[in-house]
Amino acid sequence: MNIRKTGSIILLGIFAASLFSGCGKTISETGNTVATGETSAAFTLPSETYAQDPVTPVEPKTFEEVYGNQLMGYLNHQYYFDGEPVSLQESNFYFINAFLELSSDANMGYYPVTPSGGIDLAAELEVEIDDYGTYGDYFVKYAENALEMSLTLCSYARANDIPLSEDTKLAIDNMLDNIRNGSAANAGMSLDDYLQLYYGPGTDEATFRKILERYYLADAYSDKYCKEYPFSDDQIRTPYIRYALFYAPESADQDTKDQAYQAAINMKDSCNSLSELKSLAQSAYENGIVREQGDSAAFTSELSEYPELWDWTFEEERKEGDIEVIYEPSVGYYVIGYLGIKDQITYVPYVRYALFQPKDIDQASLTEAYTAAKAMKDACGSISDLTGLAETAYKNGEVLDYGDILVTKGQLDKNFEDWAYDENRADGELDIIYSPDFGYFVIGYIRTEKQISGLLTDIAMKDLTNIALEESNSGVHDFHTDDEYLPAPAAPTATPVPDIELTDDGTEETAFNPEATEASAPVAQTQQNGSTKTADVLVVVFFTLAGVAIAAIIAVLIYSAVNNRIKSSGVSREDPDDNPDDNEDETEKDSGEDGEDGSEEDNDDDDEDNED
């Protein structure tokens, strides 16, 4: 097979490209640490700032040099939504983004890839799915679904009188300024010329701003829906397990089963804590001994399909730290550990900051940075003054980074985190803190924010998806184009895709891993040459735009629309190598791996600290 499950392709493509960053939004230019609005910024280490010696890239001059010779033919098609024309620039935005997402997967070996690093849209699909003859046909459906869902969510936002916040408008202003003064200036281009180069003909600052505003309006609705969703108590507080699978299904020969059982027993006997189980499982996975390993939330529907695991997890006497070997006939022997109950809703500090990084490591540089930080703090009559002062200082090159940020435990500097989580912290409080890794922060405490996990986001978004999907299928919204798509021109040379076996439900053959915090089997990388890669363009804007909500709903919509066709791929359940009970949900899996809300990873760290 040269294609994995259709829904899974789209799910992984959307999440892997990280177009969306979580319910706490980030809106900045990748490669620049400026962060405004609700962010999850990554501070730049001094070594990253001063130690790099990058090779100067050759700046492309034309759209075709950026994306290759195939994409242009798929742009500038007139779409309509509810009787109104969609601007060509807006539809182009989603088509270009879809191309980048699929090209990212192509460079991981999932699809044919052109020498320039893009998915080969002229290549033929080797499985029959709907009326897709080529990857270009599939690409059109992929991009159309993303565009239609964004337009649908915008219509929901307008119907519910949800405005675009002033913070978001300001963040868009800052992002455009960052592109203008950063990437565009470095390329010797105006902002309009730069946007046309990367986002297609006719895209200038005014049209791009409108696209981003609608884009964020769609996310504002899905974010609100997500936060107000009536989750059950079982969903909010759910058991977690840690596991490692020694693959030996019922169909395997007895020697294979015996060896898998003994290996599982040996691992269990070697574990004195859940921390040891984690390290042993990771090592065994890296050495090809176990087929899957990771941590998982127990309320997921996938766990219910493994009755032995389910029963063990929910036994009344189950206590944190328990470890056992359990056999599931469909897949084999699990070494399973009980991590305990974890809250999927947390309350985290929301702070405002400006970072003054010393120019060097000597005392004079430290004193200079501290003096500048103190001057800014003293100039703030209130925390609201900090934003304007920090923005001005950033433009003048006086601060390295600034913005507002949700402080998720375990993801930021320790001193920064300790200050934010001080139980005596008061709203509006301003301070200066020092981090040896970064420098001096002027920091202000805004408030405490409710944060829901990616698992809960998936639940809410699936519900919203069903609503939108029903409307789409029933024709509530008239979304169409009358323009014809012509086949893509042939690429100079395409790299074939590695064979990936599918089960009869279309999933890649693998075991239970719906919420694993560790990655499953790695995908073969295609060899890169020295030319400009389409995937490199991900650093422009797409990488950091909106929240996970819109990503999840787009992903699940497409999955639902095409998954019922995948059985025509011809994969048979009778194949003894297939895993008939593998029904991974990639939406949940990817959200868990990304760790954007930090709930799983943070709780893991807490568990391990307690065990040690």
Side-chain angles (χ1 to χ4, degrees):
M1 291 293 168
N2 278 349
I3 187 170
R4 52 192 167 127
K5 178 177 68 175
T6 303
S8 181
I9 297 172
I10 298 175
L11 288 167
L12 185 57
I14 288 178
F15 283 97
S18 297
L19 174 60
F20 311 93
S21 300
C23 284
K25 305 173 195 60
T26 297
I27 179 167
S28 62
E29 183 186 4
T30 303
N32 188 313
T33 56
V34 173
T36 59
E38 296 181 10
T39 72
S40 182
F43 306 125
T44 303
L45 289 168
S47 60
E48 295 174 330
T49 305
Y50 300 110
Q52 293 178 344
D53 184 20
V55 177
T56 302
V58 177
E59 190 70 37
K61 302 299 183 184
T62 67
F63 189 85
E64 286 75 12
E65 287 182 30
V66 176
Y67 297 103
N69 68 329
Q70 297 180 333
L71 180 58
M72 181 58 81
Y74 290 86
L75 304 184
N76 296 326
H77 287 64
Q78 182 62 65
Y79 281 88
Y80 297 87
F81 184 81
D82 287 345
E84 296 294 327
V86 178
S87 76
L88 297 180
Q89 289 74 33
E90 184 164 13
S91 61
N92 288 349
F93 176 90
Y94 286 91
F95 271 74
I96 293 169
N97 179 56
F99 183 79
L100 290 171
E101 292 167 353
L102 295 179
S103 294
S104 177
D105 274 357
N107 280 277
M108 291 192 292
Y110 283 122
Y111 314 122
V113 63
T114 66
S116 63
I119 180 174
D120 187 354
L121 300 177
E124 294 185 359
L125 278 89
E126 295 186 9
V127 280
E128 295 180 4
I129 303 177
D130 289 346
D131 55 352
Y132 305 153
T134 66
Y135 282 90
D137 299 331
Y138 172 71
F139 160 67
V140 170
K141 183 63 175 178
Y142 187 108
E144 285 181 341
N145 273 276
L147 174 60
E148 180 182 10
M149 183 52 61
S150 181
L151 296 170
T152 299
L153 291 176
C154 276
S155 71
Y156 292 167
R158 289 191 297 269
N160 287 272
D161 295 322
I162 297 175
L164 196 66
S165 71
E166 292 303 316
D167 284 345
T168 299
K169 293 177 182 178
L170 176 61
I172 291 173
D173 290 341
N174 290 334
M175 185 181 70
L176 291 171
D177 284 342
N178 293 338
I179 299 174
R180 177 187 292 106
N181 300 322
S183 299
N186 292 338
M189 304 171 70
S190 68
L191 177 59
D192 286 352
D193 288 342
Y194 189 86
L195 292 175
Q196 287 202 53
L197 176 63
Y198 286 102
Y199 303 111
T203 303
D204 56 17
E205 180 177 358
T207 58
F208 195 62
R209 182 187 299 275
K210 290 180 181 178
I211 293 168
L212 293 180
E213 288 176 349
R214 289 166 59 81
Y215 196 90
Y216 277 99
L217 186 61
D219 184 66
Y221 177 80
S222 52
D223 184 58
K224 182 176 185 294
Y225 188 93
C226 175
K227 289 180 177 178
E228 296 179 355
Y229 191 83
F231 300 105
S232 69
D233 290 342
D234 289 342
Q235 291 168 340
I236 295 172
R237 289 179 50 79
T238 184
Y240 269 68
I241 60 171
R242 176 165 293 163
Y243 67 93
L245 169 63
F246 294 84
Y247 189 68
E250 204 167 29
S251 59
D253 59 71
Q254 192 60 46
D255 284 345
T256 299
K257 293 179 183 177
D258 291 344
Q259 291 174 13
Y261 171 74
Q262 191 58 53
I265 290 295
N266 290 343
M267 178 178 286
K268 173 184 177 294
D269 292 344
S270 299
C271 294
N272 294 313
S273 69
L274 293 176
S275 295
E276 291 185 4
L277 174 57
K278 182 174 184 176
S279 61
L280 288 172
Q282 287 176 335
S283 178
Y285 175 77
E286 291 167 0
N287 292 322
I289 298 171
V290 300
R291 184 159 186 158
E292 290 287 346
Q293 61 88 27
D295 298 343
S296 175
F299 73 71
T300 60
S301 60
E302 286 74 13
L303 185 61
S304 65
E305 297 170 6
Y306 294 80
E308 300 299 327
L309 296 182
W310 180 275
D311 291 344
W312 183 88
T313 300
F314 286 95
E315 285 180 0
E316 289 186 6
E317 64 271 21
R318 187 63 52 232
K319 62 182 183 297
E320 186 175 339
D322 286 353
I323 301 175
E324 189 57 85
V325 173
I326 297 176
Y327 185 66
E328 282 286 356
S330 61
V331 284
Y333 291 94
Y334 282 94
V335 180
I336 182 174
Y338 187 71
L339 291 167
I341 301 292
K342 298 187 180 181
D343 286 326
Q344 301 301 303
I345 294 179
T346 56
Y347 294 86
V348 297
Y350 185 38
V351 305
R352 181 164 295 160
Y353 70 93
L355 170 59
F356 291 82
Q357 187 177 65
K359 296 177 181 177
D360 209 333
I361 58 174
D362 58 83
Q363 186 58 48
S365 296
L366 290 169
T367 300
E368 181 182 0
Y370 172 76
T371 301
K374 186 175 186 304
M376 178 176 287
K377 175 181 177 293
D378 292 344
C380 292
S382 68
I383 192 173
S384 60
D385 295 334
L386 181 56
T387 297
L389 290 171
E391 182 178 356
T392 299
Y394 175 79
K395 290 178 178 178
N396 294 335
E398 297 165 1
V399 302
L400 177 68
D401 193 15
Y402 75 100
D404 299 344
I405 189 169
L406 288 167
V407 186
T408 302
K409 279 191 174 181
Q411 295 187 359
L412 296 174
D413 175 79
K414 184 180 185 303
N415 292 348
F416 193 100
E417 185 177 299
D418 288 346
W419 185 92
Y421 277 90
D422 189 319
E423 61 182 13
N424 297 317
R425 198 63 59 218
D427 292 359
E429 183 176 351
L430 287 165
D431 205 348
I432 297 174
I433 61 173
Y434 175 67
S435 163
D437 289 330
F438 301 106
Y440 289 96
F441 289 96
V442 179
I443 186 170
Y445 194 90
I446 302 175
R447 60 181 176 270
T448 299
E449 285 268 326
K450 177 181 178 180
Q451 189 176 46
I452 68 172
S453 72
L455 295 173
L456 295 186
T457 298
D458 290 343
I459 291 172
M461 289 306 99
K462 286 177 182 176
D463 186 70
L464 180 55
T465 296
N466 289 334
I467 296 172
L469 181 61
E470 183 177 349
E471 287 191 2
S472 177
N473 291 338
S474 61
V476 171
H477 298 285
D478 176 20
F479 174 78
H480 74 280
T481 181
D482 298 322
D483 296 344
E484 182 182 0
Y485 282 95
L486 300 176
T493 306
T495 303
V497 181
D499 289 341
I500 298 175
E501 292 300 325
L502 306 178
T503 62
D504 71 336
D505 67 351
T507 58
E508 295 172 33
E509 186 187 359
T510 184
F512 169 63
N513 190 22
E515 297 298 340
T517 58
E518 310 299 335
S520 296
V523 182
Q525 297 286 335
T526 56
Q527 185 174 358
Q528 304 291 316
N529 58 31
S531 60
T532 301
K533 295 295 173 185
T534 304
D536 295 339
V537 183
L538 287 169
V539 304
V540 183
V541 169
F542 290 126
F543 213 87
T544 54
L545 279 177
V548 74
I550 188 173
I553 195 169
I554 292 171
V556 180
L557 173 68
I558 303 171
Y559 171 81
S560 301
V562 299
N563 187 47
N564 62 340
R565 304 292 200 277
I566 191 63
K567 291 185 179 180
S568 63
S569 63
V571 179
S572 172
R573 181 166 289 205
E574 300 303 317
D575 186 342
D577 291 332
D578 285 338
N579 173 12
D581 287 355
D582 178 11
N583 292 311
E584 281 190 311
D585 185 305
E586 291 287 350
T587 306
E588 295 179 352
K589 174 181 173 183
D590 284 342
S591 295
E593 289 175 354
D594 287 346
E596 289 165 345
D597 57 64
S599 60
E600 295 183 27
E601 295 179 9
D602 295 339
N603 287 329
D604 266 358
D605 293 338
D606 293 341
D607 288 334
E608 289 164 18
D609 291 339
N610 293 334
E611 292 158 13
D612 294 338

